[in-house]
Amino acid sequence: MSESITKPNPYFKEYLPQEYKDIVEKEAFKKNKSFLDLGVVKELLEEHPLCAGCNLALSLKLILVALPNPEDTIIVGSTGCSSLALAQVGIHNIHSLFGNQNAVATGLKRALSIRFPDKVKDVVVMAGDGATADIGLDMTLHSWFRKEKITTIMFDNEIYANTGGQESGMTPCGRVVNMAPKGKKFSKINMPEIAKTSGCDYVAAVSVAKPKSVFSSVRKAILVAREIGPTYVQIFTPCPTNLKIKSSEAIIVAEEKVKQGEYPISEYISPQAEEYLKNLGELSQ
Amino acid sequence: MAGNNLKEVSAEYLLFEAKREEKFITGSEAVKEAILRANVDLAISYPITPQSESMHLVGDLYAEGYVKDYFRGENEFAVMSEVAGAAMAGVRVFTATCGPGTLRAFENFPMWAGSRLPIVMAFMTRGVNAPLTIQPDTIEMSFLLDTGMIMLHAENAQDLYDMILLAYDVAEQTSVHLPVGVFVDGFFVTHTRQKVKVIVEDVKLKSYDPSRSPMPTIDMETPPFRYMRDPFVMKSNFISYAAHASWQQEVIAAMYRSKKYLEKYLGSLIEQTNTDAEIQIVASGTAVSQARAAAKILKEEGIEVGIIKIKSIRPFPTEEIKDALKNAEKIVIPEFNRAGWLAKEVASTIKNNDRIVHGPRVYGGMTMPPEIIVEVIKKGTLIGV
Ligand SMILES: Cc1ncc(C[n+]2csc(CCOP(=O)(O)OP(=O)(O)O)c2C)c(N)n1
Ligand SMILES: [Mg+2]
């Protein structure tokens, strides 16, 4: 989009909501922000209804500052806690159904390529672990098999948080949660490995407790998806409400579990993606 | 692209003025002929009998350069979400399925209507499991009645061809902007050859204009970029309930606003013969053709029978049906499904609905010989049901 599109008509300006004026005036669409810009530029996420200490909310903020080109980015979400926050974001985003996010993103990306052949439009999927690895797994995988040029980001709180803490495929083996009264009977799905073998050119598993790595993996993933192929980022966002931990300690849990080796961190870059990122240089940092 | 050699024209020119020639083609081929003129950006397919051949032929149009993008999706639920994403981003789409595919995709249909997406799709109706069947049966239409989708029912390949083309113009009106399902009885129409008058001029429908959408096109070019203030539908307060309720009412209102655009092309939503006859047959789809054959047999025996063909199931022609049946003494409603959804619709529309004989009904792939309609009319009741 061009800047003139967002500039409010002076005659109508007084009727626009303050957040909208702020988004336009306070550089929310500024390109190439750093995560250090959080709290300085106008953020794309307004006040949100997620719980105090929610790690998903924090990682969403980090993702939004990491967008290399927010003014031409479209977000596709799914039902779950994240859909409550995405409705508050100042970027076009879609909520349609639970689990169909990668299918919607496929159609959207192809349509934008038809309508804007000479323009980069980044399509970024953001959904929960249940949406990505359980109910929507077929569509997640098929979008990768087809090599759709989209970025898939999973908020991995290892649980169906929004419906009250039920087991998901991403819940660790043995954990007792709702609908797994005797503990989960099988291992956490190894999505990063599956993403790699399914054709993703960039794959990362990171923790929200490391803002810099969230920021850089999201940025790399979106850049690689533009030119090379599908990409996947999995962000560890333990849920204070369902884990019954204090809000102030949620981020510490995100840090500790990684330190204790309970949440594997990883990064994979395909040779083509590596080459491409190298040529981009600073932009991809 | 070969499609670039076709001149863009208005829907009115395309449907009323463009030069046509009669061809002897199957229903599936009629779909191809329609999509050739529809200027579709993206078509997505998934195989299921008896629909598959239509989408093979649409794939050929892509290979020939008349459709900009085309692929086979992973299942019908995904396909309907894929066309939704594309429609949200402002392009014209097409897909088709039937029976089990319709049910697999179901959650998408009310989402399409609620998101005000002008998707046009064809349903080559087929029975649903169990037991497994691939045969013609219109049961899926019963399930789709309240999704908010506009539903047109083609009697033959000519209807199918015309309805697909007019569906785009109706769906894309700003005051409508809803999905349109064009239904046709699988096999009976898709796999038989009929005379169809198709356009032969080098023209196509003018492109879809996303700026006519009542919802912002999701492309980061169409403000507002933050068009939802809160996730209102999930809050537990009266304002959010009222927001959902009024949104749903608007979807239904939009569907009824489509009536005048449908009438422009279809004439009335119903078509009548022998309006004064005391016995009236009400039908849609190929049941109309069977009714015509039955009426002919009865006429030879001196019994006058009128036929009311319903072309649009949603919006339902309530006033037209009331008026058309006000003097009828006996009303017979033959259907290709077990549920008898058309009989229920008519029964809830007219006064003194004990005038209705619910049937005959055939399903599971059975044909409907005109003789069984004749027998029902003569006996005034159902036989052997
Ligand atoms: C078809 C369908 N099935 C079930 C649900 C109920 N549902 C809504 S959100 C949700 C859980 C989401 O879990 P996840 O994707 O992990 O996101 P989180 O809430 O944990 O962020 C479920 C099961 C639904 N909305 N639709
Ligand atoms: Mg979750």
Side-chain angles (χ1 to χ4, degrees), chain A residues 56 78-83 95 97-99 127-135 154-164 166 168 237 239 242, chain B residues 77 107:
Chain A
L56 190 163
S78 193
T79 317
C81 287
S82 56
S83 59
H95 172 267
L97 298 173
F98 183 38
D129 48 307
T132 309
D134 285 346
I135 195 168
M154 179 206 280
F155 299 110
D156 185 11
N157 50 19
E158 308 190 307
I159 208 155
Y160 288 113
N162 195 243
T163 37
Q166 297 83 8
S168 91
T237 55
C239 165
N242 282 294
Chain B
F77 176 79
E107 198 188 358

Side-chain angles (χ1 to χ4, degrees), chain B residues 35-275:
Chain B
I35 298 304
L36 170 65
R37 306 294 168 192
N39 199 2
V40 165
D41 294 298
L42 171 62
I44 309 179
S45 57
Y46 191 82
I48 185 167
T49 307
Q51 166 275 129
S52 305
E53 193 188 16
S54 305
M55 290 307 288
H56 298 175
L57 295 172
V58 172
D60 291 349
L61 287 176
Y62 163 68
E64 292 159 14
Y66 293 100
V67 171
K68 296 195 189 83
D69 198 1
Y70 171 96
F71 70 100
R72 173 204 52 83
E74 56 269 56
N75 60 57
E76 293 87 351
F77 176 79
V79 168
M80 301 314 152
S81 294
E82 281 147 4
V83 291
M88 287 174 189
V91 302
R92 185 178 286 151
V93 297
F94 183 71
T95 187
T97 191
C98 58
T102 302
L103 298 199
R104 177 65 62 101
F106 206 95
E107 198 188 358
N108 284 276
F109 301 127
M111 180 273 282
W112 287 1
S115 306
R116 304 296 296 274
L117 303 177
I119 295 167
V120 172
M121 86 171 273
F123 295 84
M124 287 72 181
T125 59
R126 134 179 186 178
V128 297
N129 305 349
L132 174 63
T133 170
I134 60 164
Q135 303 300 339
D137 189 316
T138 60
I139 188 80
E140 67 200 86
M141 295 180 72
S142 172
F143 306 141
L144 289 161
L145 290 172
D146 296 305
T147 51
M149 184 189 288
I150 293 168
M151 297 170 69
L152 307 179
H153 200 174
E155 178 189 348
N156 48 39
Q158 184 71 60
D159 277 359
L160 178 60
Y161 177 82
D162 291 329
M163 282 175 173
I164 289 174
L165 285 174
L166 71 89
Y168 282 105
D169 192 49
V170 174
E172 293 168 9
Q173 296 297 326
T174 304
S175 63
V176 179
H177 233 265
L178 283 179
V180 182
V182 178
F183 294 78
V184 62
D185 301 358
F187 285 117
F188 293 145
V189 178
T190 53
H191 287 59
T192 56
R193 249 169 231 289
Q194 309 171 17
K195 285 181 192 156
V196 185
K197 287 200 177 94
V198 301
I199 296 162
V200 289
E201 240 179 276
D202 284 340
V203 290
K204 63 180 175 185
L205 184 61
K206 65 177 188 307
S207 345
Y208 171 57
D209 175 3
S211 71
R212 290 171 72 198
S213 169
M215 298 276 285
T217 306
I218 305 298
D219 56 5
M220 278 311 273
E221 304 285 339
T222 317
F225 301 111
R226 186 175 166 215
Y227 64 94
M228 206 174 352
R229 250 206 72 87
D230 289 295
F232 53 82
V233 289
M234 295 208 229
K235 292 207 169 155
S236 301
N237 59 41
F238 183 74
I239 301 281
S240 69
Y241 311 149
H244 190 87
S246 58
W247 192 286
Q248 290 290 314
Q249 285 169 0
E250 166 57 10
V251 169
I252 300 310
M255 193 224 281
Y256 278 90
R257 289 196 294 263
S258 72
K259 202 172 169 221
K260 70 172 182 212
Y261 302 104
L262 288 168
E263 282 170 346
K264 182 163 86 182
Y265 297 111
L266 297 174
S268 168
L269 302 189
I270 64 171
E271 192 182 289
Q272 277 182 275
T273 55
N274 225 349
T275 48

Side-chain angles (χ1 to χ4, degrees), chain B residues 320-356:
Chain B
E320 292 86 337
I321 291 290
K322 265 188 197 159
D323 188 54
L325 293 175
K326 63 177 185 287
N327 298 323
E329 288 187 2
K330 194 189 300 169
I331 302 157
V332 173
I333 307 185
E335 291 183 63
F336 280 97
N337 68 82
R338 167 173 57 75
W341 52 263
L342 186 58
K344 287 183 199 158
E345 286 290 318
V346 176
S348 66
T349 300
I350 61 168
K351 284 188 184 155
N352 304 330
N353 64 16
D354 54 0
R355 293 177 290 162
I356 298 175

Side-chain angles (χ1 to χ4, degrees), chain A residues 121-136:
Chain A
K121 294 270 179 188
D122 296 319
V123 174
V124 184
V125 174
M126 301 181 197
D129 48 307
T132 309
D134 285 346
I135 195 168

Side-chain angles (χ1 to χ4, degrees), chain B residues 19-39:
Chain B
K19 188 164 172 271
R20 293 193 182 209
E21 267 173 25
E22 201 166 75
K23 287 194 182 175
F24 190 53
I25 55 176
T26 65
S28 305
E29 286 164 345
V31 173
K32 178 183 182 180
E33 291 287 341
I35 298 304
L36 170 65
R37 306 294 168 192
N39 199 2

